[in-house]
């Protein structure tokens, strides 16, 4: 049975998301809905299937915690991140329980202990695969989220998370929180973005060289430079990552 509170939440969520006209507004709407769900943070990420490469991530977690996470390379021991990259995160992640599993003094203990210190006691996830992408939305909560809506809590979170995930969009070139921890990338310069955009439109390297007034060897060098900035292993992966990060004009 759908409670009035649950129904109002769904209606308000749909209204907020519908009002968002661009990626930044959509992210603000997602964050506002997460706050209404009593979540302390919302994290979103897209990963390439097969390679597990991080296309992009965004987070509203405490900046001090994110700095610690990046500075101490805690992504290397983060089981929730690894599961999300594989498209198989648990629906509910109990941080305190996980903290007890690590040996004293380990980075695993540090990761989970620090998360609890910032109030991230539970993480609830929604994930799905779309083509070559694994997508994941994670809400961080201080209180047990399984009791917020009574017996219908799990359904409420699943429904709202699914609605929020529909408005997950890449942060684009100018968004500082678009960096993926441990796999930061450099922005493309205008020439690199232009050539990758033409590749994505189906042009060959020879066609591009003629169009932009470069030699084919120069075009190949520009693509190689862009691949290095994307930390990609192939031209196809370079294109996929650049498109998913919102760095190209198509």
């Amino acid at each position: 049975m759908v409670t009035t509170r649950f129904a109002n939440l769904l209606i308000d969520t749909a209204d907020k998301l519908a009002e968002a006209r661009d990626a930044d507004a959509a992210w603000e709407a997602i964050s506002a809905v997460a706050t209404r769900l009593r979540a302390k943070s919302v994290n979103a990420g897209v990963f390439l299937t097969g390679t597990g490469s991080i296309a992009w991530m965004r987070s509203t977690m405490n900046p001090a915690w994110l700095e610690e996470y990046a500075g101490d390379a805690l992504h290397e021991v983060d089981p929730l991140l690894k599961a999300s990259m594989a498209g198989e995160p648990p629906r509910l992640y109990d941080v305190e329980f996980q903290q007890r599993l690590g040996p004293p003094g380990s980075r695993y203990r540090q990761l989970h202990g620090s998360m609890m210190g910032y109030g991230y006691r539970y993480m609830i996830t929604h994930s799905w695969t779309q083509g070559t992408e694994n997508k994941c939305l994670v809400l961080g909560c201080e209180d047990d989220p399984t009791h917020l809506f009574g017996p219908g809590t799990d359904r409420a979170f699943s429904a709202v998370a699914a609605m929020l995930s529909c408005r997950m969009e890449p942060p684009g070139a100018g968004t500082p929180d678009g960096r993926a921890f441990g796999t930061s990338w450099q922005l493309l310069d205008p020439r690199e973005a232009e050539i990758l955009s033409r590749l994505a439109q189906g042009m060959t390297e020879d066609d591009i060289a003629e169009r932009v007034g470069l030699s084919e060897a120069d075009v190949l060098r520009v693509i190689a430079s862009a691949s290095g900035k994307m930390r990609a292993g192939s031209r196809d992966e370079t294109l996929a990552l650049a498109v998913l990060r919102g760095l190209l004009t198509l």
Side-chain angles (χ1 to χ4, degrees), residues 66-87:
L66 294 178
E67 183 176 347
E68 178 183 348
Y69 186 87
D72 291 343
L74 297 178
H75 62 277
E76 296 177 351
V77 295
D78 187 346
L80 185 56
L81 174 62
K82 292 178 181 178
S84 298
M85 292 171 69

Side-chain angles (χ1 to χ4, degrees), residues 117-145:
Y118 284 98
Y120 308 125
R121 171 70 174 75
Y122 300 92
M123 310 297 280
I124 188 165
T125 74
H126 177 77
S127 66
W128 72 107
T129 299
Q130 182 177 341
T132 59
E133 306 163 31
N134 287 330
K135 300 184 177 183
C136 190
L137 187 74
V138 182
L139 302 179
C141 305
E142 186 164 18
D143 300 318
D144 187 344

Side-chain angles (χ1 to χ4, degrees), residues 1-3 5-6 145-157:
M1 182 176 181
V2 179
T3 65
R5 185 183 175 197
F6 180 16
T146 60
H147 302 301
L148 293 178
F149 292 89
T153 293
D154 187 60
R155 181 175 51 159
F157 267 98

